[in-house]
Amino acid sequence: MIAATSAKEFDVYPENLKYTSEHEWVRTPGEAEGSVRIGITDFAQDALGDIVYVSLPQVGDAVTAGETCGELESTKSVSDIYAPVTGEVVATNAALDSTPELVNSDPYEAGWLFEVAVSDGSQVDGLMDAATYEGGLAG
């Protein structure tokens, strides 16, 4: 497990988010009506190392829960981004085009990835809460 350090300026696993086993987080609601905002966890960004390029789905793309929909390229590797919910992409974080390192420095706010208009809102209820996600990291 990667230990949280006191230097972090954010909650390592904020209680108001839902999480996936692939280390994505989901915030309800997103900025767009009926949407959720998606990003990767502090654990994931730390494991990846310095993010140098982000490939996101396009606005209007359909994404399916559990399937890949983008990539994060770091100095260590290229990792897939998995859609935590099924729906249509309604926004992407354009700031990541020029400053992909926001995913490392602020994974829960400025480093968000994209927003999805969820086809079935109950999907979010099936994701892990912070305690369950963090407990899975220890095991």
Side-chain angles (χ1 to χ4, degrees):
M1 181 175 146
I2 299 172
T5 65
S6 58
K8 299 276 185 197
E9 294 181 16
F10 50 82
D11 287 338
V12 176
Y13 306 111
E15 295 288 328
N16 65 327
L17 303 178
K18 293 288 194 164
Y19 299 88
T20 71
S21 58
E22 290 83 22
H23 310 291
E24 282 88 22
W25 56 259
V26 175
R27 175 177 290 125
T28 305
E31 292 295 316
E33 187 174 336
S35 73
V36 296
R37 184 166 275 189
I38 297 163
I40 65 165
T41 66
D42 180 60
F43 177 87
Q45 71 78 24
D46 194 54
L48 286 170
D50 295 333
I51 306 243
V52 295
Y53 179 74
V54 176
S55 174
L56 298 174
Q58 299 296 310
V59 171
D61 284 356
V63 295
T64 302
E67 293 188 5
T68 61
C69 61
E71 293 180 333
L72 296 171
E73 184 177 332
S74 72
T75 55
K76 293 181 183 179
S77 66
V78 175
S79 295
D80 288 331
I81 300 168
Y82 294 90
V85 293
T86 297
E88 181 181 330
V89 176
V90 295
T92 59
N93 188 349
L96 299 180
D97 292 341
S98 59
T99 52
E101 63 272 13
L102 288 171
V103 175
N104 294 113
S105 63
D106 194 6
Y108 299 114
E109 295 297 333
W112 65 278
L113 301 176
F114 58 98
E115 290 192 4
V116 172
V118 183
S119 61
D120 177 2
S122 67
Q123 295 177 80
V124 176
D125 297 335
L127 300 175
M128 291 182 270
D129 63 17
T132 304
Y133 174 73
E134 189 169 11
L137 297 176

